């Protein structure tokens, strides 16, 4: 009797296999494109950029690149992965054709960006209606998080510069719709900026907010049902005034810098005025309290603004700052919401941390670096990144339930998209047969 050596079975490797489809799970993304109508919307939006008698449709080419990035690619040449499976992804353009289209779209400037964004907004409204109770506005309010992202550059790209973290690259400002605890999130704004762009630039925050609002269904582009949430980078007079301007009526929850005036006001708050902070389940958060400030610290700000401060015991190993008091870490934010207690408002603002997960997913899906040289080309790349992040957000909304709805891009690729299948054609219909034991 022979004894088997090693932990894994020995398998012979041969070429020439037929009717086997790699990345067959990517058909879920194809069905998401078809169900949402994204293919027809993008094709119609980019019709002006299609040459007469052209073989490949510009919208299809752009979606192919987005699908390749959603499946794990990080450059234009990764469409070769789709080109190898025409039975699932259809005819895919060659690498030179893809590059020429990106150059042509980049030359179109703002006209191209407007066309792509309009198509995405149209499809987004349709997807939210199809998803029903799973849509981000099912609870009556839409939350948009704005946050900056540092993207490293490993070559001398146009507009790459030294960042505030002493790295080198770009500093885009992005916006994400928060799907809450039961979902992930989807991108609604991406403003490409040089690496040395300031964090507190009010004009950039206003532009990013305008882009985000344009992506929402028309009923959420103004009014209290839309909440704009930022960290302290958005805590400027110009941006808060823009959010609260008459006729716009947006809700906001904006982080504020602890100034000397705020610090002195905190020291004057009596112990009885502090309210324990709470967790999402309603239980009290240990070692954290909130209070509302008024008086001189509100001078010069919009009339309806509320200033809420939070103090908490620092985590082990954390260093205190000069603006902290009594050994407790201080943070502050402003809001114009009046019907909720301050503990609920503080919890809502603290949940802005979910935007960091969205940024991590974006980095894992095409935003780890900007692969093209010119800024105009990289603006198109940012739109491609948003397209594939849209698909990765819409797929769980439309097709997944339970824990899989919370899966992030890396897990979706491992568990779903990487599955192989056998392609069988019967009665002029194509079928993908997956193995029964795939988890």
């Amino acid at each position: 009797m022979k004894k088997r050596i090693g932990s894994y079975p020995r398998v012979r490797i041969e070429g020439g296999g037929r009717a086997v489809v790699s990345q067959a799970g990517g058909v879920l993304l194809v069905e998401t494109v078809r169900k949402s109508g994204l293919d027809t919307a993008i094709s119609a939006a980019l019709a002006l950029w299609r040459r007469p008698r052209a073989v490949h449709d510009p919208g299809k080419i752009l979606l192919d690149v987005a699908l390749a990035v959603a499946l794990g690619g990080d450059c234009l040449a990764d469409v070769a992965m789709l080109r190898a499976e025409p039975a699932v992804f259809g005819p895919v353009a060659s690498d030179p054709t893809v590059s020429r289209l990106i150059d042509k779209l980049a030359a179109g400037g703002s006209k191209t960006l407007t066309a792509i964004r309009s198509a995405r907004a149209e499809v987004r409204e349709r997807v939210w209606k199809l998803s029903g109770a799973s849509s981000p506005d099912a609870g009556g309010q839409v939350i948009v998080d704005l946050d900056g992202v540092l993207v490293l550059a490993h070559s001398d790209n146009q507009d790459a510069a030294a960042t505030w973290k002493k790295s080198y690259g770009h500093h885009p400002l992005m916006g994400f719709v928060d799907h809450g605890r039961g979902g992930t999130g989807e991108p609604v704004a991406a403003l490409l900026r040089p690496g040395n762009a300031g964090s507190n630039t009010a004009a950039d925050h206003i532009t990013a907010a305008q882009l985000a609002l344009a992506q929402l269904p028309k009923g959420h582009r103004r009014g209290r049902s839309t909440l704009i949430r930022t960290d302290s980078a958005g805590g400027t007079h110009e941006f808060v005034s823009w959010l609260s301007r008459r006729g716009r009526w947006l809700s906001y929850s904006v982080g504020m810098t602890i100034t000397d005036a705020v610090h002195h006001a905190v020291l004057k708050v009596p112990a009885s005025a502090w309210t324990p902070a709470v967790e999402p389940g309603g239980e009290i958060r240990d070692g954290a309290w909130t209070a509302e400030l008024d008086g001189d610290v509100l001078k010069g700000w919009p009339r309806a603004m509320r200033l809420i401060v939070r103090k908490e015991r620092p985590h082990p190993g954390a260093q205190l700052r000069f603006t902290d008091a009594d050994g407790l870490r201080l943070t502050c934010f402003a809001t114009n919401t009046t019907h909720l207690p301050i503990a609920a408002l503080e919890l809502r603002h603290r949940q802005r941390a979910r935007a960091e997960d969205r940024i991590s997913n974006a980095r894992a899906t095409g935003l780890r670096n900007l692969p093209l040289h010119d800024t105009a080309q990289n603006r198109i790349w940012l739109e491609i990144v948003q397209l594939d992040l849209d698909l990765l957000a819409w797929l769980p909304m439309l097709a997944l339930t339970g824990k899989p709805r919370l899966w992030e891009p890396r897990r979706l690729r491992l568990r779903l998209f990487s599955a192989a299948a056998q392609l069988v054609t019967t009665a002029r219909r194509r079928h993908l047969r997956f193995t029964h034991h795939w988890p």
Side-chain angles (χ1 to χ4, degrees), residues 21-40 60 63-68 70-71 81-83 85-92 123 387-388 390-392 394-395 398-399 417 430 432 434:
V21 177
S22 302
Q23 299 284 338
V27 74
L28 288 169
L29 293 172
V30 176
E31 290 301 317
T32 302
V33 169
R34 182 180 292 112
K35 184 71 174 179
S36 65
L38 183 60
D39 50 348
T40 56
K60 172 69 163 55
L63 278 178
D64 285 341
V65 177
L67 288 173
L71 292 173
M81 184 170 53
L82 275 63
R83 194 182 301 119
E85 304 293 353
V88 175
F89 301 106
V92 177
V123 176
L387 276 171
D388 59 65
D390 278 336
L391 291 174
L392 291 173
W394 294 341
L395 168 60
L398 296 174
F417 303 153
R430 293 173 177 174
L432 280 177
F434 292 88

Side-chain angles (χ1 to χ4, degrees), residues 52-64:
R53 294 177 293 181
V55 175
H56 296 282
D57 177 67
K60 172 69 163 55
I61 296 175
L62 203 69
L63 278 178
D64 285 341

Side-chain angles (χ1 to χ4, degrees), residues 256 258 262-263 265-279 284-293 307-315 320-321 323-333 342-343 346-347 349-350:
M256 304 292 285
I258 302 291
V262 172
H263 186 260
V266 171
L267 296 179
K268 296 178 182 178
V269 176
S272 59
W274 290 97
T275 302
V278 297
E279 298 286 7
I284 293 177
R285 182 177 177 88
D286 185 43
W289 301 267
T290 62
E292 185 170 358
L293 304 180
L307 195 60
I308 298 173
V309 67
R310 172 174 176 261
K311 64 179 182 179
E312 184 177 20
R313 297 192 190 100
H315 299 293
L320 292 175
R321 298 166 296 193
T323 53
D324 296 329
D326 300 327
L328 299 175
R329 174 64 52 83
L330 296 180
T331 55
C332 187
F333 70 95
I342 59 174
E346 189 277 329
L347 172 63
H349 185 76
R350 192 177 352 127

Side-chain angles (χ1 to χ4, degrees), residues 402-415:
K403 289 185 178 180
R405 193 175 184 278
L406 299 173
W407 286 355
E408 296 184 345
R410 290 188 182 93
R411 181 163 293 185
L412 285 171
R413 292 170 192 143
L414 178 65
R415 297 288 187 92

Side-chain angles (χ1 to χ4, degrees), residues 71-145:
L71 292 173
D74 61 1
C75 65
L76 298 178
D78 285 331
V79 294
M81 184 170 53
L82 275 63
R83 194 182 301 119
E85 304 293 353
V88 175
F89 301 106
V92 177
S94 64
D95 289 348
T97 301
V98 173
S99 297
R100 284 194 298 268
L101 176 66
I102 297 300
D103 291 340
K104 192 174 182 179
L105 295 178
S110 59
K111 187 176 181 180
T112 305
L113 300 178
T114 301
I116 297 174
R117 291 164 181 169
S118 298
R120 290 177 53 225
E122 173 190 340
V123 176
R124 191 181 317 281
E125 185 170 8
R126 185 181 307 137
V127 170
W128 285 17
K129 289 180 180 179
L130 288 173
S131 57
S134 298
S135 66
D137 62 345
Q141 187 177 55
V142 176
I143 300 177
V144 177
D145 290 312

Side-chain angles (χ1 to χ4, degrees), residues 155-160 170 370-378:
S155 59
D156 193 17
N157 291 1
Q158 186 179 10
D159 284 341
H170 298 83
L370 299 176
L372 306 173
H373 178 270
D374 295 344
T375 298
Q377 295 173 327
N378 282 322

Side-chain angles (χ1 to χ4, degrees), residues 179-293:
H179 287 188
R181 299 181 66 190
T184 55
E186 53 191 291
V188 287
L191 182 64
L192 185 58
R193 305 187 299 170
N196 56 3
S199 298
N200 295 86
T201 306
D204 290 345
H205 278 78
I206 291 173
T207 301
Q210 289 172 332
L211 293 176
L213 293 173
Q215 282 295 308
L216 302 181
K218 292 182 179 179
H220 293 292
R221 293 179 184 176
R222 64 178 61 198
R224 296 291 192 220
S225 64
T226 300
L227 173 72
I228 304 295
R229 198 164 55 182
T230 74
D231 58 7
S232 58
T236 60
H237 285 78
E238 295 85 351
F239 185 54
V240 175
S241 297
W242 183 87
L243 291 171
S244 55
R245 186 169 299 168
R246 185 180 181 88
R248 193 167 286 120
W249 309 119
L250 295 169
S251 298
Y252 60 84
S253 183
V254 177
M256 304 292 285
T257 302
I258 302 291
T259 62
D260 289 339
V262 172
H263 186 260
H264 290 305
V266 171
L267 296 179
K268 296 178 182 178
V269 176
S272 59
W274 290 97
T275 302
V278 297
E279 298 286 7
E283 61 272 13
I284 293 177
R285 182 177 177 88
D286 185 43
W289 301 267
T290 62
E292 185 170 358
L293 304 180

